Amino acid sequence: MTDPATSAQVLTVGMTYRDLVITGMQTMPRLGEESYATALHETWGGIGNMTRVCRALGMSTALATAIGDDDASDHLLRDMATIGVDTSLTARHRHWQLPVTVAMSLPEDRAMVTVEEPPPTGITTHLNRAQFLADAIIVDMRDPAMEWLTSARSRGSKVYASRGFDPSGAWGQEALADSDTCDMWMLNDMEACAFTGEADAIAAARSLTSHVPIVVVTRGARGMVGIDLVTGEQADVAAFPVAPSTTTGAGDSALAAFVYASHINGLTLAQRLTMTAFITATILERPGGAADPPDLAELVTLSENNPDPRIRSMHEVLSATQHT
């Protein structure tokens, strides 16, 4: 393919949500109770989180999502244009509107309620006819793929899968990501154990590598584990201590950070996971969380002269990346 209409380091593909995030809650109200929070943030969730984090980290980023003819859809396009995201691969659907998620963020986790109607012709159908090049593609595997994805991989794109919670509760084989459509899969420990029947994250990750060659399982405050069959590496990385302002978007932020770390030449799997953990912890501490991720300059400053040796080691990598 010559002269693609869109070319980017990262193409993010999936559903975007209008997120209303309530922060500062200490407990979840029971039926009939009223609880108080300290702040309300409005932002773009789902694939929007990953798009924003990739762009903040300095990667050229394109977004392929579904939008409607509502005001929120137009607002999304304006916001993405403001931060320099290419939305030329985004498809508009008449008489449809962006789904909305209300997220209640507590110190240890979050709960969400979503109002969603699938777009009339799906999220990715139009990509079968699109011309684009991308070094990396982050894709929500819940949307049936994938003529376009197979074609993109044949052109050299590496595919990072977001496919976690199974709302059907079946956790069946048909819901698994696989090596025919992706190169790497990130999911949390509850999801990984539910899909495999294993009791711990490492065993679950090892089991899932029979489907996808690189698997990362996040474990919240206990860090993350990863297995890379391509290099033969296995890593178990502790999380950085953090007092989160919001946990909403934590998984999305981690995947975007891992894609960024994977674009840095010479890093081991353990170093890529450490970079991911550091960036994610920094995002969680910010008042807006994934709605306002740090850029590279901020990460360089935060990692400089830090007493944690793991963060100091990341400072050299970030500084070098900032000037490339």
Side-chain angles (χ1 to χ4, degrees), residues 85 105 118 142 157 248 259 312:
V85 170
S105 186
R142 288 176 294 183
S157 295
T248 302
V259 171
R312 286 203 306 273

Side-chain angles (χ1 to χ4, degrees), residues 166-219:
D166 184 358
S168 73
W171 303 100
Q173 293 290 305
E174 70 281 356
L176 292 170
D178 62 73
S179 58
D180 289 337
T181 52
C182 65
D183 301 279
M184 179 269 177
W185 186 14
M186 180 181 286
L187 65 171
N188 67 37
D189 52 352
M190 183 279 290
E191 296 159 347
C193 292
F195 274 125
T196 62
E198 299 288 353
D200 69 87
I202 294 176
R206 190 175 295 114
S207 175
L208 290 172
T209 55
S210 64
H211 300 275
V212 179
I214 304 173
V215 174
V216 174
V217 178
T218 61
R219 301 179 298 175

Side-chain angles (χ1 to χ4, degrees), residues 57-311:
L57 292 171
M59 307 184 80
S60 61
T61 307
L63 169 65
T65 190
I67 59 171
D69 48 16
D70 56 330
D71 290 341
S73 294
D74 291 335
H75 190 185
L76 168 66
L77 292 181
R78 291 194 300 270
D79 281 359
M80 290 297 164
T82 298
I83 63 174
V85 170
D86 182 341
T87 58
S88 60
L89 294 176
T90 286
R92 190 183 290 273
H93 301 268
R94 295 187 62 205
H95 310 302
W96 185 78
Q97 61 184 18
L98 285 183
V100 178
T101 294
V102 178
M104 293 151 282
S105 186
L106 280 74
E108 68 281 0
D109 210 335
R110 76 277 189 265
M112 297 175 286
V113 178
T114 296
V115 179
E116 178 179 357
E117 179 181 333
T121 57
I123 300 171
T124 64
T125 303
H126 67 289
L127 294 180
N128 292 331
R129 305 179 302 276
Q131 291 190 336
F132 65 87
L133 287 175
D135 295 334
I137 297 174
I138 300 176
V139 61
D140 186 339
M141 300 301 287
R142 288 176 294 183
D143 191 55
M146 307 285 193
E147 177 186 331
W148 68 270
L149 195 55
T150 301
S151 178
R153 293 184 80 196
S154 72
R155 298 192 298 271
S157 295
K158 191 167 186 177
V159 177
Y160 298 79
S162 168
R163 172 66 177 94
F165 188 75
D166 184 358
S168 73
W171 303 100
Q173 293 290 305
E174 70 281 356
L176 292 170
D178 62 73
S179 58
D180 289 337
T181 52
C182 65
D183 301 279
M184 179 269 177
W185 186 14
M186 180 181 286
L187 65 171
N188 67 37
D189 52 352
M190 183 279 290
E191 296 159 347
C193 292
F195 274 125
T196 62
E198 299 288 353
D200 69 87
I202 294 176
R206 190 175 295 114
S207 175
L208 290 172
T209 55
S210 64
H211 300 275
V212 179
I214 304 173
V215 174
V216 174
V217 178
T218 61
R219 301 179 298 175
R222 291 178 293 128
M224 60 189 75
V225 299
I227 297 178
D228 186 340
L229 291 185
V230 178
T231 62
E233 296 171 283
Q234 177 175 315
D236 185 340
V237 169
F240 290 97
V242 61
S245 295
T246 173
T247 52
T248 302
D252 297 336
S253 300
L255 181 53
F258 186 82
V259 171
Y260 165 74
S262 298
H263 272 65
I264 302 174
N265 292 329
L267 295 189
T268 66
L269 177 62
Q271 289 172 319
R272 284 181 282 160
L273 293 180
T274 300
M275 178 72 76
T276 299
F278 171 58
I279 294 172
T280 304
T282 303
I283 290 171
L284 291 178
E285 284 190 320
R286 296 169 73 86
D292 180 30
D295 60 22
L296 274 180
E298 292 176 88
L299 290 172
V300 169
T301 300
L302 289 169
S303 60
E304 188 173 14
N305 300 321
N306 192 291
D308 188 322
R310 291 196 299 158
I311 296 180

